[in-house]
Amino acid sequence: MTIGGKDWRAFVRTPWAVLAVWLAYCTVRLAIQPLLGWDPVGQDDWTRLLQVRAWLDGQAFWDVTQYRMNPPEGFSMHWSRLVDLPLAALMLVFGETAAMALVPLLWLLPALFALRAIMLRLDFAPLAFAFGLVILPLFPLLPGNFAPMSIDHHAPQAVLAVVCAALLIRDSRWSALACGLCAAAWVVISLEGLPLVAVLAGLYGVRYWFGERTLLPWFLGALALGSAALSYATRGPLGTPYCDVLLPGHILTFAAAAIIAAAIPFLPWQDRVQGRVVALAAMGLVCLQLATALLGPCATNPMAELDPVLQTYWHGYITEGLPIWRQPVSVALALLWTVGIIVAGWWRAHSTGYFHHGRALACTMLFLFALAAGGYSLLVMRAGLVAQLLAIPFAALLMAEFLPKARALAAPVPRVLATLAAVGLTTPMFASAFAKPLDRQFPMATMTPETLALLEPGECDYSRLAALPAGKVFAPLDAGPEILGRTDHAIVAASYHRNQLPMVDVIRAFTGSVETARATVAAHEADYVAICGAASDVALYRTASPDNFANALLSQAPPAWLEPVGGDAADALRIFRVAD
């Protein structure tokens, strides 16, 4: 088979193959998007859109406060302008809808090129190379994050992670510098990336431990300078009372680590493995103590100090931030399957001698980084996006080994079964899909089956609120961003952890008595109350007590101090005007 006059084996290693796969993926996604709609996917996507709209409408670049949430104070946000930049640029050129459709697809392109760089460095055989470019849709967490209208910050973080992996396995100072800069962008976007950035530093330390290259100070120096520059450029002076962003204490620790790493090669006994191990261990202890001293209480998990009400009725049911033992069965199995693919792919490569001839260290570096991401995903499910991207090269190796053997079977039925097994065992998609029916049979992080039974049929059309005079809407947390995106109203609160007091007020109102809710609605001077009976957070609120405010609003006899506004029998949304 030839492509453009070239054998496919040669073509698959070229940049044109990446572009062809990317264009095919974009074509399919854009073709089916009209069936899915052209609105942001989730509440974080709506809020990202609101943030960019406000900036383009004149809000200061360094100010990412959401002023239509709990006005006039607004909601303080920890989000970075780095993610806003491509979205804002395309919105100015192509308009809002086109920008939201294109940006997630554009993020996929550097991810594919990073996977190509990894496979080139490890000298994949042509068939494994081809699989590495095309099997991304078989990893359940990936397609949705690179789909049109999915504009939150998870995809950029994952892309930076896989780019870091591609740079990590190279052995030049320029690669270490570039890796440090990408890691800096990663932690500026979200401090959640810090554990895996620490793993990157540790792996550069492993290189020095084995006497391979002294690249650690170059990585750490770029990390320190890059994080300082990007933090200042996107957030301004780094004075903040919050622990959820990169702080001067982090940057100073990076800088101290870089200085120590640069000095280590000049210490005594660095020509011996034992001397290098002692020096690296001492450096780690010093930096850990320094970070603890500089960061104080911010050295711990910022979510640890959430109000108990938020833990129970908000953060405790956001599955993407929870560990594997609090995930639905299908998600838990996909996470475990991903780790298994990483381990099995590395083991097969080494047991067959695939990565000998100078590539063993690079493969091991990739394996350890991917394994760390997989382990992290068992504690925080969001990290599964990084783990699944990094698992693709290992899955491609396994598929290239077993799929041809399956296809070579002569009998049709065994051949079909073996083919399905080869694809199903080397990617997590089938395992996750087959386990999906079990999700409702077991208690889940988000809901128990009893709670799910409280969900009303139908959907909620928040654009109905746009017909009402602009005011302040008292609504459940998850509904807030979409209400802001579709209307000119303000809201009392949404799901953003820095702003605990109004968030607690909203939850206590919906889960508490009607009298308590009336006082809270009046205290926030709300003009309207809105509730969606088909929303999962509302179903959770309803379990607090049979006669609470949420249940009263969804009953046939809502409180007398609220006046129903319109409605549609097929719409699960109830809207009320607060009586004077």
Side-chain angles (χ1 to χ4, degrees):
M1 177 181 175
T2 60
I3 301 176
K6 293 183 178 181
D7 184 272
W8 73 270
R9 294 173 182 82
F11 174 78
V12 78
R13 298 170 66 89
T14 66
W16 300 111
V18 174
L19 290 173
V21 169
W22 178 71
L23 287 172
Y25 180 88
C26 293
T27 300
V28 172
R29 290 300 317 199
L30 291 173
I32 66 174
Q33 197 59 38
L35 302 175
L36 304 174
W38 299 99
D39 292 321
V41 177
Q43 57 176 312
D44 282 353
D45 304 294
W46 278 106
T47 302
R48 177 68 60 188
L49 175 61
L50 294 170
Q51 184 165 298
V52 176
R53 279 181 180 173
W55 175 30
L56 296 181
D57 286 342
Q59 188 166 317
F61 180 79
W62 284 347
D63 182 8
V64 294
T65 304
Q66 289 292 315
Y67 288 104
R68 291 170 63 203
M69 297 178 183
N70 192 38
E73 295 87 356
F75 260 39
S76 175
M77 302 290 290
H78 69 287
W79 287 5
S80 170
R81 286 288 190 204
L82 278 178
V83 183
D84 293 347
L85 291 172
L87 188 60
L90 291 186
M91 282 173 63
L92 289 172
V93 177
F94 299 110
E96 189 174 278
T97 301
M100 291 190 291
L102 293 175
V103 164
L105 297 174
L106 289 174
W107 279 120
L108 178 61
L109 191 57
L112 290 175
F113 270 108
L115 290 171
R116 173 181 178 267
I118 289 170
M119 293 186 290
L120 282 175
R121 175 69 181 88
L122 300 179
D123 197 21
F124 273 31
L127 185 60
F129 210 112
F131 284 143
L133 293 179
V134 302
I135 63 174
L136 181 146
L138 298 180
F139 285 78
L141 298 180
L142 301 183
N145 280 279
F146 292 104
M149 323 313 287
S150 181
I151 56 174
D152 66 12
H153 53 275
H154 297 138
Q157 291 180 81
V159 171
L160 289 166
V162 74
V163 170
C164 283
L167 294 166
L168 170 70
I169 63 175
R170 298 180 65 85
D171 57 1
S172 71
R173 290 176 177 176
W174 289 111
S175 296
L177 285 169
C179 187
L181 291 175
C182 289
W186 186 1
V187 292
V188 166
I189 290 173
S190 175
L191 204 58
E192 203 170 73
L194 190 57
L196 291 180
V197 170
V199 171
L200 284 172
L203 292 174
Y204 275 109
V206 170
R207 279 182 172 273
Y208 178 68
W209 175 10
F210 284 103
E212 202 250 357
R213 286 296 299 272
T214 308
L215 299 178
L216 180 59
W218 298 93
F219 169 78
L220 291 171
L223 174 64
L225 293 174
S227 58
L230 289 173
S231 293
Y232 185 82
T234 58
R235 289 199 171 97
L238 301 179
T240 174
Y242 300 105
C243 298
D244 54 6
V245 295
L246 207 64
L247 298 171
H250 295 110
I251 298 170
L252 289 173
T253 302
F254 298 158
I259 294 170
I260 296 171
I264 281 177
F266 300 99
L267 296 177
W269 304 301
Q270 294 306 293
D271 56 337
R272 305 173 190 175
V273 172
Q274 298 89 335
R276 294 194 291 270
V277 171
V278 170
L280 290 170
M283 169 187 164
L285 290 173
V286 169
C287 291
L288 183 62
Q289 291 293 323
L290 180 63
T292 302
L294 291 173
L295 294 171
C298 289
T300 60
N301 179 9
M303 290 296 187
E305 298 181 359
L306 279 179
D307 186 287
V309 170
L310 297 181
Q311 289 284 10
T312 302
Y313 291 103
W314 174 59
H315 190 257
Y317 80 91
I318 300 176
T319 54
E320 67 178 32
L322 298 178
I324 187 171
W325 54 88
R326 300 187 64 188
Q327 298 296 331
V329 177
S330 60
V331 176
L333 186 58
L335 297 175
L336 287 173
W337 211 275
T338 300
V339 175
I341 289 167
I342 293 167
V343 173
W346 176 81
W347 180 80
R348 288 297 300 170
H350 275 262
S351 64
T352 58
Y354 194 93
F355 289 126
H356 291 180
H357 310 296
R359 298 189 298 274
L361 180 61
C363 176
T364 301
M365 293 289 103
L366 177 65
F367 164 68
L368 292 174
F369 187 46
L371 188 63
Y376 191 21
S377 74
L378 304 184
L379 300 176
V380 180
M381 189 273 273
R382 276 190 293 263
L385 179 57
V386 175
Q388 292 200 348
L389 267 179
L390 294 174
I392 286 176
F394 299 102
L397 288 173
L398 293 171
M399 193 176 291
E401 179 180 356
F402 294 114
L403 189 57
K405 294 177 181 178
R407 300 299 301 157
L409 295 176
V413 173
R415 183 171 64 246
V416 170
L417 293 177
T419 299
L420 291 175
V423 175
L425 292 174
T426 57
T427 62
M429 177 64 79
F430 290 170
S432 178
F434 289 144
K436 196 71 176 175
L438 297 175
D439 288 351
R440 285 181 172 264
Q441 307 304 317
F442 296 91
M444 294 181 288
T446 48
M447 306 282 163
T448 62
E450 293 77 18
T451 306
L452 289 172
L454 296 174
L455 288 171
E456 292 190 354
E459 297 181 355
C460 290
D461 180 12
Y462 292 106
S463 62
R464 277 177 45 203
L465 282 158
L468 301 173
K472 185 188 289 188
V473 180
F474 196 96
L477 301 181
D478 289 353
E482 186 173 351
I483 291 173
L484 298 184
R486 294 187 183 278
T487 74
D488 292 328
H489 296 294
I491 60 171
V492 174
S495 300
Y496 298 103
H497 64 269
R498 284 186 174 182
N499 311 275
Q500 294 194 37
L501 291 179
M503 291 174 66
V504 169
D505 282 351
V506 167
I507 291 176
R508 283 182 171 159
F510 282 109
T511 59
S513 68
V514 173
E515 293 76 17
T516 298
R518 183 174 189 176
T520 305
V521 169
H524 283 277
E525 300 180 339
D527 302 289
Y528 307 99
V529 173
I531 189 169
C532 175
S536 59
D537 59 339
V538 171
L540 188 64
Y541 299 162
R542 296 181 68 182
T543 64
S545 67
D547 57 350
N548 66 15
F549 188 46
N551 283 309
L553 292 173
L554 296 172
S555 70
Q556 298 299 315
W561 51 276
L562 295 175
E563 174 190 349
V565 180
D568 186 328
D571 192 348
L573 177 65
R574 272 75 155 184
I575 303 172
F576 304 89
R577 182 181 286 108
V578 179
D580 294 333

